[in-house]
């Protein structure tokens, strides 16, 4: 084949590839258009949450996982709102009941955002230090929350530390405060020394965030 013909064929193939690739990207972005997720890093400010056997403070590690998940979701084209972006709690400094004030502030952010999904990130703790593994919780009698919670739980079972394959009903304020689909992920036990070390590793955090992200992708189809 003459050289110019080969070159012309290569050029046509390259143009065709770039057209197909850009339509796939545009199609994905168009499909995600408007899907909004509120990410809630549990605790904050004077409420540190649980403290690990090695000294990990729950509010700090919750925020790390939340920000990593946010980055992945934003890069994929989702709209993301955070309840908290830093170490501070959301309570009013003058509030008598700081916990209640903090929870109400989270509720107000969710209501204002009008999201398709709320995901709250926490770390677990238990008196028995052998307790381990991630657990997802959803609001009772809410099918959409149950569906996405099960997808996340299954992904965490396949790729991370979860021993269960089914999510559970959870009686948490963040799940019950609104009618939006909501899942609370307890990523693992800070009371278990091996799991605390694992949860603090960059590799494991990346794997867990990838697993939650892949379940969200699957849920929104
Ligand atoms: Zn917590």
């Amino acid at each position: 084949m003459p050289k110019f013909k080969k070159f012309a064929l290569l050029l046509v193939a390259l143009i065709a590839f770039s057209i197909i690739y850009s339509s796939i990207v545009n199609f994905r972005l168009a499909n995600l258009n408007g899907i909004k997720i509120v990410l809630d890093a549990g605790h904050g400010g004077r409420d540190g949450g649980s403290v690990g056997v090695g000294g990990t403070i729950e509010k700090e590690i919750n925020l790390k996982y939340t920000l990593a998940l946010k980055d992945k979701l934003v890069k994929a084209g989702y709209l993301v709102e955070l309840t908290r972006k830093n170490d501070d709690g959301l309570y009013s400094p003058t509030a008598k009941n700081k916990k209640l004030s903090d929870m109400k502030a989270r509720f107000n952010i969710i209501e204002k955002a009008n999201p398709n999904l709320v995901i709250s990130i926490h770390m677990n703790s238990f008196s028995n230090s052998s307790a381990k593994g991630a657990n997802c919780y959803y609001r009772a009698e809410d099918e959409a929350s149950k569906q996405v919670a099960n997808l996340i739980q299954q992904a965490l079972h396949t790729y991370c530390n979860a021993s269960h394959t089914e999510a559970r009903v959870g009686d948490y304020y963040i799940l019950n405060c609104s009618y939006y689909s909501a899942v609370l992920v307890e990523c693992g036990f800070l009371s278990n020394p091996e799991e605390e070390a694992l949860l603090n590793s960059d590799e494991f955090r990346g794997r867990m965030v990838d697993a939650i992200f892949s379940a969200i992708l699957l849920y929104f189809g």
Side-chain angles (χ1 to χ4, degrees), residues 58-78:
E58 190 196 343
K59 64 172 180 176
E60 291 174 2
I61 191 168
N62 288 346
L63 187 62
K64 269 191 177 179
Y65 275 65
T66 302
L67 293 178
L69 181 57
K70 179 206 156 206
D71 284 350
K72 266 200 105 71
L73 289 167
V74 167
K75 274 188 194 137
Y78 291 95

Side-chain angles (χ1 to χ4, degrees), residues 164-214:
H164 301 281
T165 53
E166 283 191 16
R168 303 162 179 181
V169 169
D171 188 17
Y172 296 99
Y173 176 87
I174 205 81
L175 300 179
N176 294 324
C177 70
S178 77
Y179 287 102
Y180 297 106
S181 301
V183 177
L184 186 142
V185 185
E186 293 276 10
C187 300
F189 285 78
L190 295 177
S191 45
N192 179 318
E194 289 92 48
E195 194 149 86
E196 181 188 23
L198 195 63
L199 288 162
N200 274 305
S201 78
D202 292 347
E203 189 277 330
F204 189 78
R205 183 173 62 249
R207 197 144 39 97
M208 182 158 269
V209 164
D210 281 352
I212 298 171
F213 173 73
S214 67

Side-chain angles (χ1 to χ4, degrees), residues 42-43 49-50 58 62 121-123 186:
H43 312 281
S50 42
E58 190 196 343
N62 288 346
I121 301 287
H122 285 256
M123 304 287 151
E186 293 276 10

Side-chain angles (χ1 to χ4, degrees), residues 65-220:
Y65 275 65
T66 302
L67 293 178
L69 181 57
K70 179 206 156 206
D71 284 350
K72 266 200 105 71
L73 289 167
V74 167
K75 274 188 194 137
Y78 291 95
L79 302 169
V80 176
E81 284 203 28
L82 301 173
T83 53
R84 70 175 173 100
K85 302 176 181 71
N86 53 38
D87 184 62
D88 299 339
L90 300 176
Y91 45 81
S92 149
T94 55
K96 275 191 185 154
N97 187 334
K98 298 273 194 292
K99 186 74 188 166
L100 188 65
S101 168
D102 180 274
M103 284 309 189
K104 280 194 170 163
R106 287 173 207 254
F107 163 73
N108 287 335
I109 291 169
I110 293 168
E111 283 287 302
K112 204 172 159 206
N114 188 25
N116 302 83
L117 179 64
V118 179
I119 296 187
S120 185
I121 301 287
H122 285 256
M123 304 287 151
N124 228 333
S125 184
F126 194 56
S127 52
N128 182 345
S129 65
S130 65
K132 61 178 184 176
N135 291 297
C136 294
Y137 296 90
Y138 59 92
R139 183 171 63 248
E141 292 170 24
D142 183 74
E143 270 311 307
S145 298
K146 183 179 178 180
Q147 198 188 340
V148 66
N150 273 326
L151 286 171
I152 296 174
Q153 184 73 44
Q154 280 149 20
L156 294 176
H157 174 73
T158 307
Y159 300 110
C160 302
N161 58 344
S163 40
H164 301 281
T165 53
E166 283 191 16
R168 303 162 179 181
V169 169
D171 188 17
Y172 296 99
Y173 176 87
I174 205 81
L175 300 179
N176 294 324
C177 70
S178 77
Y179 287 102
Y180 297 106
S181 301
V183 177
L184 186 142
V185 185
E186 293 276 10
C187 300
F189 285 78
L190 295 177
S191 45
N192 179 318
E194 289 92 48
E195 194 149 86
E196 181 188 23
L198 195 63
L199 288 162
N200 274 305
S201 78
D202 292 347
E203 189 277 330
F204 189 78
R205 183 173 62 249
R207 197 144 39 97
M208 182 158 269
V209 164
D210 281 352
I212 298 171
F213 173 73
S214 67
I216 293 169
L217 280 186
L218 208 59
Y219 176 68
F220 288 112

